[in-house]
Amino acid sequence: MSTSTISQLSRLISKSVAELEKLCLESQTSVPDLDAFGFDRSSEAFRLTPGAAEAIKVAAAACMQLTAVLLPPTDTLYKLALGEHNSFAMRTCLEANITEILREAGPDGLHINNIATKCGLDPSKLGRIMRYLAIHHVYRELKPYIFTNNRISGTLDTGKALKDIFSHPESKYDSTGFPALMSHHMDLDHKCSAIAWDVLSDPVLGHSNEITDTIFSRGLKTNTTFWKFFEHPNNLFRHRRFGYAMKAFDWEKLAKNSLVVDVGGGIGVTIMPLAQKYPNLNIVVQDLPIVVEEGLKFWSHEFPDALSSGRVRVEAQDFFDVQPIKNASVFFLKHILHNWPKSYMAKILRRLRDAAALDTTLIVIDNVLPYACRRSADADNSSVVGATYYKEAPEPLLPNYGAVSHSPYTLDISMMFYFNAQEHTVLGLTGLLESTGWRLVNFHSVDPKNDFLQSIEAVPL
């Protein structure tokens, strides 16, 4: 790479940081201190200022690309190759309740011997693990062998008291969101990654698109599907944790008493805010019987009036079977399609198309991933409103902001592990919908911090 490219990246960093500081000053917010004790959700307010998300992405992407330019290529590859060390260290601290231990100890920190006593691990080994994370800015070593939480490690906090975690370990991740998601990935994905190459290079398994011939099934030594695996009594904790980990459309235009069907809606976490905000809508949450049981408990506790009035129903339904509801205004699929190989995605969509009325709207919430190259004017389906659904990063950055956008691309690999499935591209999604009787009409950004998570609107062909 030339010196001029380095200068370009440096200027992008300086310009974006200056813009961010200006926006923070105007909005009376601030970029929080990395060394702050624990994570305070209110400290994220600066990200909500219009223009801040873009400045953050450009600055961070330029920093990461500049690092790739300046470090020896072997350093970049070595860090990627040893990612399992990061996962091991993170999982150790997460499952050993280190963040909660340090939260209860306070900002002055705790000696590694005391930390180890509380969680039952060897202090020498734990100390090395925590120091390894500290060089990546997860936890802080205040003095030799004395550690404390920082803003990043604080996101692993379940918020529960240690005494409650120790007395009821099975409910540690209930209602926790991000910690549950981290535990899920570092448990299952780690086992999958260890066996992934063996499966991909197998002349049979490597080319299979069946949901029982996956990297997951080999890594977890099971001949069942990902979902059936969770139904086994030995895996109820994993199932419970996964349910809590999975926690743009103009709803105002729907007529009174319109019916919204949340297909494969889990326990109903996603759709509940809709039920609360729009009392004139009727909602059906559909999922498998084992999930419905949890869903009924969830609604009974969180929003009992919606159940008792009949405005919200939680029903058992396999989305591969004939859809019994024929008068839906909206079929809603959040993070469903990407869990299945293409042929299975198509079957789900066809079942819904067969049940759809002429005025039914299909809403799919999923990631739509750009390529790692700049698109030409006709690369996307220009007939779709919003087909240019994300803003390309300025030169010389990668158009998708590079490693700053790693999360949805990492999820794409997880989908390969679990299901022989994948995230979507615009062209792939358009073709899938058209082949099953749907026409893509619009995109709506769901998350201002993630341009790739989209609410995809389609109507019957």
Side-chain angles (χ1 to χ4, degrees):
M1 302 291 284
S2 65
T3 303
S4 63
T5 299
I6 295 175
S7 297
Q8 282 181 284
L9 292 169
S10 178
R11 283 195 294 270
L12 281 176
I13 294 168
S14 298
K15 180 181 177 182
S16 298
V17 168
E19 176 65 15
L20 181 60
E21 289 184 330
K22 174 177 173 289
L23 292 171
C24 286
L25 184 64
E26 292 172 351
S27 62
Q28 297 185 330
T29 59
S30 60
V31 177
D33 183 2
L34 178 63
D35 291 338
F37 179 67
F39 175 73
D40 180 359
R41 193 171 297 280
S42 65
S43 68
E44 296 293 285
F46 76 102
R47 300 186 189 278
L48 302 178
T49 304
E54 178 67 13
I56 291 166
K57 284 196 299 183
V58 170
C63 286
M64 291 178 175
Q65 191 162 324
L66 186 60
T67 299
V69 171
L70 296 178
L71 288 179
T74 50
D75 282 15
T76 300
L77 290 175
Y78 193 72
K79 183 178 180 180
L80 288 171
L82 295 184
E84 75 276 4
H85 287 57
N86 300 332
S87 180
F88 154 72
M90 286 284 294
R91 189 181 183 199
T92 296
C93 290
L94 179 63
E95 305 299 355
N97 310 309
I98 301 302
T99 297
E100 289 86 358
I101 289 171
L102 293 178
R103 183 238 299 154
E104 294 193 359
D108 292 336
L110 201 62
H111 194 281
I112 193 63
N113 289 341
N114 294 327
I115 300 172
T117 297
K118 289 180 178 292
C119 68
L121 298 182
D122 178 272
S124 174
K125 294 176 181 177
L126 180 60
R128 289 153 56 198
I129 291 168
M130 294 192 68
R131 190 169 295 115
Y132 178 79
L133 290 175
I135 70 169
H136 296 287
H137 307 290
V138 183
Y139 302 109
R140 292 176 63 201
E141 189 168 18
L142 296 174
K143 299 176 183 178
Y145 304 105
I146 295 178
F147 293 89
T148 188
N149 278 326
N150 66 357
R151 181 166 171 265
I152 295 178
S153 68
T155 62
L156 299 176
D157 194 347
T158 61
K160 293 178 167 61
L162 280 172
K163 61 180 179 62
D164 294 332
I165 294 175
F166 290 140
S167 59
H168 299 288
E170 75 286 349
S171 60
K172 172 180 175 177
Y173 293 110
D174 287 7
S175 304
T176 62
F178 186 72
L181 182 63
M182 290 297 95
S183 178
H184 167 80
H185 279 307
M186 290 187 291
D187 174 13
L188 300 184
D189 282 35
H190 192 73
K191 292 177 174 65
C192 289
S193 63
I195 201 72
W197 168 245
D198 295 331
V199 176
L200 289 177
S201 59
D202 185 283
V204 176
L205 291 178
H207 297 272
S208 173
N209 285 311
E210 287 303 316
I211 56 176
T212 53
D213 295 333
T214 61
I215 294 169
F216 168 82
S217 61
R218 177 69 67 88
L220 275 294
K221 298 181 173 59
T222 178
N223 58 2
T224 66
T225 67
F226 181 84
W227 305 113
K228 288 290 184 182
F229 173 81
F230 280 119
E231 293 180 14
H232 192 280
N234 291 342
N235 296 315
L236 288 180
F237 171 74
R238 280 172 164 151
H239 169 75
R240 185 171 183 167
R241 177 188 63 192
F242 180 73
Y244 282 103
M246 290 295 103
K247 291 186 168 187
F249 176 71
D250 182 11
W251 299 101
E252 298 281 358
K253 70 181 182 182
L254 295 178
K256 183 179 180 180
N257 296 323
S258 291
L259 181 60
V260 177
V261 183
D262 189 1
V263 181
I267 62 175
V269 172
T270 296
I271 209 72
M272 180 172 284
L274 190 73
Q276 294 168 331
K277 186 174 181 180
Y278 300 102
N280 290 330
L281 295 181
N282 294 315
I283 294 171
V284 177
V285 182
Q286 296 180 334
D287 215 302
L288 297 177
I290 189 173
V291 182
V292 168
E293 182 180 347
E294 289 295 318
L296 288 170
K297 293 177 184 177
F298 173 73
W299 284 85
S300 296
H301 181 266
E302 299 292 336
F303 200 179
D305 290 348
L307 274 185
S308 61
S309 68
R311 188 168 69 84
V312 171
R313 307 197 309 270
V314 184
E315 298 179 349
Q317 167 66 16
D318 187 329
F319 43 54
F320 292 116
D321 292 340
V322 173
Q323 172 59 244
I325 296 177
K326 309 296 183 184
N327 61 333
S329 300
V330 174
F331 284 127
F332 183 76
L333 289 163
K334 182 178 181 183
H335 296 330
I336 298 297
L337 295 183
H338 74 163
N339 290 336
W340 299 93
K342 286 184 180 179
S343 61
Y344 290 82
M345 290 189 208
K347 186 171 183 179
I348 294 169
L349 292 172
R350 287 194 189 99
R351 288 298 195 191
L352 297 181
R353 179 61 186 88
D354 290 343
L358 292 178
D359 60 349
T360 297
T361 299
L362 172 71
I363 297 177
V364 177
I365 307 290
D366 259 337
N367 287 305
V368 182
L369 303 185
Y371 303 103
C373 58
R374 295 191 179 273
R375 62 177 184 262
S376 60
D378 60 350
D380 290 335
N381 185 348
S382 58
S383 66
V384 176
V385 177
T388 53
Y389 61 94
Y390 76 101
K391 178 182 176 182
E392 289 190 342
E395 296 277 12
L397 301 179
L398 290 174
N400 60 0
Y401 296 85
V404 169
S405 305
H406 74 95
S407 292
Y409 292 89
T410 301
L411 185 61
D412 184 40
I413 299 299
S414 293
M415 296 302 99
M416 183 196 305
F417 283 175
Y418 300 160
F419 314 114
N420 280 326
Q422 62 189 71
E423 299 297 316
H424 313 285
T425 63
V426 170
L427 298 179
L429 180 62
T430 302
L432 175 67
L433 289 169
E434 289 180 350
S435 71
T436 54
W438 296 97
R439 178 170 59 89
L440 198 161
V441 295
N442 216 337
F443 291 99
H444 303 278
S445 181
V446 173
D447 183 352
K449 300 186 294 296
N450 175 11
D451 288 339
F452 310 145
L453 184 61
Q454 297 287 316
S455 173
I456 300 137
E457 189 175 335
V459 296
L461 278 171

